[in-house]
Amino acid sequence: MAATIPDPIPRSQEAEATPPAAADRPGRIEAHGIDHIPDGERHGHPRELFSVWAAANVNYLSLVIGGALVLMGLTLWQAVAVIVVGNLFWLLTGLLATSGPAAGAPSEVITRAVYGVLGNRVNNAVGGWLVSVCYFALNLAAAATAAFALVEKAGITANTPVKVAVIVVIAALTLVISVYGHALIIKLYLPITLALVAAFGVVALAVLRHADFSYAPAERLGGAPLWTLLVAGTTMIASGPLSYTTSADFSRYLPRTASKKAVVVWTALGAFLPSVAVCSLGAFAATVVDMSDPQNALQTILPGWFTPVFLLALVLGTISINALTAYSAGLALQAVGLRIRRTVSVLFDGAAAVALTLYGLLVSNFLDTVSNVLQVIVVLSGPLMAVYATDIVLRRCRYDGPALSDETPGGPFWYTRGVNLPGALALVTGVASAALCVNTLYTGPVAGAMGGLDLSLPVGMTVAAGLYALLMRNDSAVLAARASA
């Protein structure tokens, strides 16, 4: 590979035409895709990231996961401790976000430095686009369920045509935000955050009034069974932040001089605080109602007048998280190598997710299968996050955005036949190590030998990060980046 980072080059063919007048404004469809954001178009403050991540994490899924921890057999305060520890992984999401202002590029492009131009296409196809579309479909299905109940309360029978219409409407609202892009997300997510906090505040008052703060299961776990459950719960919570290896997508418009510490703090806090609060709320609720069906169970302790508002809040929260997912999925599809505009790629992603949702809800239990598969995604997402974070630390967050746009053979990130072998080897080894330790859909040999203890998350991340650091420690481009820091 090249020993030094070359001078900036013109935008590659992947760049979308962006005339100087096309500023990043809420009322305009975002002109940029995966191309480099010039310094003259950078703007904003890291504190704007707080509401972006907060709105996406005041949601129904967090309630479900929090309640599940108690249903699994933990005491209330054991569940709360797991929630706090698992959500600390948002610090890694914050660290990844610092690469956005440094490069003026999204995560889908920055990871070319890790995997090489062609290797990164595989990374984006699997770890980016496919996983994002599956998550979009699952979240859309959850929102649709709440919307079906809302329609029934309005006196409309939720038959198949109505269900199809509801799913399409929710998806359309989501995709409007994703298509308009970054500026609209920044503008909308503060009021959305405030609205969701207000709605879930009412839920909190009702739950805390009834909660049993001394709750413990009839048979309290101890020893190895308890540790197995604690680790499994932490992994389940951590799967949320670990799925966001794309946080640079939403920070790339910040000036390159933006404080890295501020980017980490506002991103991590924006996700950590609401995630801990809402997950804990689910755990508190599980001490008094059956959280295996949170939507209906919570209605038994909520004021009657508030039920429609609660259902609307569930839909709004899902729209918020899915808009970010669809936005990143659109960038991932471009980064795979398709020469299409970001708006087209977002709409394509939305159509695929809607089709998946309709098939899953109306034809088969396909979404259950997808959900089960995603439980194992932490085997992939953990090492992906670890390798990316390690690269940021090794390079001291020094990335040349224009150089990352060079996809030509012989370019600075072409490496060996388009693949950075250390990155690919570290990822594959990390995933293989995690797979040996997993205990979800199947029991790996290491988990079996340890009585079912699932260490896939720490093992996969540690092996991937350690091997990548070892293999890249003397890389000429990494050394050059460190020297220029």
Side-chain angles (χ1 to χ4, degrees), residues 36 46 56 76 104 261 353:
H36 176 250
L76 174 60
K261 182 182 296 184

Side-chain angles (χ1 to χ4, degrees), residues 390-415:
T390 303
D391 190 74
I392 291 173
V393 173
L394 286 176
R395 297 176 193 270
R396 297 181 181 174
C397 202
R398 299 285 293 184
Y399 293 97
D400 186 332
L404 284 164
S405 296
D406 183 359
E407 296 186 80
T408 60
F413 299 106
W414 187 257
Y415 295 108

Side-chain angles (χ1 to χ4, degrees), residues 470-482:
L470 178 66
L471 295 176
M472 291 291 286
R473 69 189 188 285
N474 293 321
D475 180 85
S476 56
V478 169
L479 293 176
R482 292 171 65 89

Side-chain angles (χ1 to χ4, degrees), residues 185-423:
I185 289 171
I186 296 295
K187 183 74 172 180
L188 279 183
Y189 276 43
L190 178 56
I192 288 177
T193 298
L194 296 175
L196 291 174
V197 167
F200 275 80
V202 175
V203 177
L205 290 175
V207 168
L208 296 178
R209 189 168 62 247
H210 294 87
D212 178 3
F213 295 100
S214 61
Y215 172 84
E219 296 184 11
R220 297 186 61 163
L221 297 174
L226 175 60
W227 280 106
T228 298
L229 187 53
L230 290 173
V231 173
T234 302
T235 300
M236 184 168 64
I237 296 292
S239 65
L242 290 177
S243 69
Y244 284 105
T245 56
T246 57
S247 53
D249 297 1
F250 310 101
S251 62
R252 62 194 170 119
Y253 278 90
L254 292 174
R256 68 172 67 243
T257 55
S259 166
K260 294 181 177 62
K261 182 182 296 184
V263 171
V264 173
V265 169
W266 287 114
T267 298
L269 275 183
F272 176 85
L273 293 179
S275 292
V276 169
V278 178
C279 281
S280 297
L281 197 58
F284 289 134
T287 66
V288 289
V289 297
D290 181 9
M291 286 295 283
S292 61
D293 183 11
Q295 181 180 305
N296 291 318
L298 287 172
Q299 291 182 40
T300 64
I301 59 175
L302 291 174
W305 62 267
F306 183 70
T307 297
V309 178
F310 174 59
L311 294 173
L312 281 172
L314 297 182
V315 174
L316 180 60
T318 304
I319 288 175
S320 300
I321 192 171
N322 262 356
L324 299 188
T325 302
Y327 181 85
S328 291
L331 295 175
L333 198 58
Q334 285 188 309
V336 167
L338 298 183
R339 305 303 185 187
I340 55 177
R341 294 185 63 85
R342 183 191 61 82
T343 50
V344 175
S345 64
V346 167
L347 293 175
F348 177 83
D349 299 334
V354 168
L356 194 60
T357 304
L358 290 172
Y359 181 76
L361 286 180
L362 305 179
V363 180
S364 75
N365 62 349
F366 183 68
L367 283 176
D368 291 337
T369 302
V370 175
S371 179
N372 290 332
V373 170
L374 288 177
Q375 291 179 40
V376 190
I377 286 297
V378 71
V379 171
L380 173 63
S381 61
L384 278 172
M385 178 74 80
V387 172
Y388 189 175
T390 303
D391 190 74
I392 291 173
V393 173
L394 286 176
R395 297 176 193 270
R396 297 181 181 174
C397 202
R398 299 285 293 184
Y399 293 97
D400 186 332
L404 284 164
S405 296
D406 183 359
E407 296 186 80
T408 60
F413 299 106
W414 187 257
Y415 295 108
T416 304
R417 298 181 180 179
V419 178
N420 182 23
L421 296 178

